[in-house]
Amino acid sequence: ADNRVATAFVGVEQQSVLFLGSPADFGYLPLALSPGGDGRLSGLAASFSSFDSFAAGNHAGFVVLPWDAMQTGPDAAARLNALRQFLLKGGTALLAPSPGGSTGGGTLPDWLAMVPESLQGSSNGLALTVLDKASALFDDLRDEKGEVALRNVKVFRFLPLRLSAQAVPLLGLEDGRIILAAQNVGQGRLLASGLAFDPAWSTLPLKPAFVALAQGMVLNHAGAPASITSLVAGDPLTGLPGGAASLVVQSLGGSPLDWKGPAGQFTTFPRVGVYALR
């Protein structure tokens, strides 16, 4: 009865994930990101659209594109340019092969630092390994010792990625070949996968780690916006909007506190609690 514990949590707005193509082009990835499709269970709402809508520049959020649509067809160059413009403005995207596709080895523009080679396979399966253990993408996969736990994932089909100096390898195979990498493009971030998210390609979609990895690509990558302010009782309150003239503080939980006045006169929170500021 004399023990107490405080639990911290962060609430953020629901985020959107746009898939350019049909659900069949992305394997189990839409299900892992948004189990109900509407974002209620994961905070990620999945939708499917065409490249024409994406090229119009009306989307903000995470975008998933199939490799084959970017490498083949008369519109491939225009689609790559639309992707580049989206990234330059601060967008985040993932390129991944379709479960039924075998695209690889094509010519891609110089700004793309990650190029898929031809389709390869292993009948016995090759072990999936983490190449950048410090990446924020794997934060929800760490065990009590801080190690990234993938739990014996085997890869049967893959497109090895050829990287230039601007790209960072994230996941690879036991023989050193890279199958997930990332690069910064302008203000944005691009992830590239050589692995389709389908059981015919690997056992990853059948593992508990898959949900954490999939959602980590959207929520925990290095380019994700951070809006968390750390406060310590007694320290000055920072991060108020520059033009805020007045401030109202009300406690929602913990010790009572109601305060109203000029924003510059409120200096600190005196004790632990849950507060609303407006």
Side-chain angles (χ1 to χ4, degrees):
D2 60 345
N3 294 331
R4 295 184 180 183
V5 62
T7 301
F9 63 92
V10 178
V12 297
E13 293 183 4
Q14 186 180 95
Q15 298 189 44
S16 64
V17 180
L18 177 65
F19 292 88
L20 298 184
S22 65
D25 294 329
F26 306 101
Y28 287 13
L29 185 61
L31 182 63
L33 291 177
S34 185
D38 55 7
R40 286 187 299 170
L41 295 177
S42 64
L44 303 172
S47 61
F48 297 85
S49 186
S50 66
F51 279 90
D52 292 339
S53 174
F54 173 69
N58 298 324
H59 180 73
F62 194 90
V63 176
V64 186
L65 313 93
W67 273 116
D68 54 0
M70 314 304 289
Q71 292 184 265
T72 60
D75 298 329
R79 291 171 176 177
L80 282 166
N81 183 63
L83 172 61
R84 185 169 184 264
Q85 295 305 316
F86 171 73
L87 295 170
L88 289 173
K89 296 176 182 178
T92 308
L94 167 67
L95 283 165
S98 299
S102 59
T103 302
T107 301
L108 289 168
D110 293 339
W111 65 266
L112 193 60
M114 306 167 292
V115 178
E117 298 181 348
S118 58
L119 181 67
Q120 300 183 31
S122 170
S123 57
N124 295 325
L126 296 170
L128 186 67
T129 62
V130 179
L131 301 178
D132 185 3
K133 295 182 179 180
S135 173
L137 187 148
F138 305 118
D139 282 353
D140 292 334
L141 284 168
R142 303 187 194 280
D143 59 21
E144 62 275 7
K145 295 181 180 179
E147 296 294 326
V148 180
L150 288 176
R151 308 298 184 196
N152 193 29
V153 176
K154 293 293 184 180
V155 177
F156 307 108
R157 304 180 68 191
F158 56 95
L159 303 175
L161 298 178
R162 186 174 71 253
L163 308 186
S164 62
Q166 292 79 20
V168 176
L170 298 171
L171 287 176
L173 302 177
E174 58 184 274
D175 58 9
R177 285 178 286 186
I178 300 167
I179 58 171
L180 183 67
Q183 72 171 104
N184 293 324
V185 181
Q187 301 179 45
R189 182 81 162 171
L190 177 63
L191 295 163
S193 174
L195 194 65
F197 302 104
D198 184 90
W201 286 61
S202 77
T203 60
L204 180 62
L206 307 177
K207 300 286 186 177
F210 177 53
V211 173
L213 176 62
Q215 296 185 9
M217 288 191 288
V218 180
L219 300 172
N220 299 332
H221 61 87
S227 58
I228 300 173
T229 301
S230 178
L231 297 176
V232 178
D235 287 350
L237 177 64
T238 60
L240 289 174
S246 62
L247 178 67
V248 177
V249 180
Q250 183 179 16
S251 61
L252 305 179
S255 301
L257 173 64
D258 291 288
W259 190 94
K260 180 179 180 181
Q265 292 185 9
F266 185 83
T267 57
T268 186
F269 293 96
R271 56 187 63 86
V272 172
V274 181
Y275 302 96
L277 282 71
R278 58 183 195 274

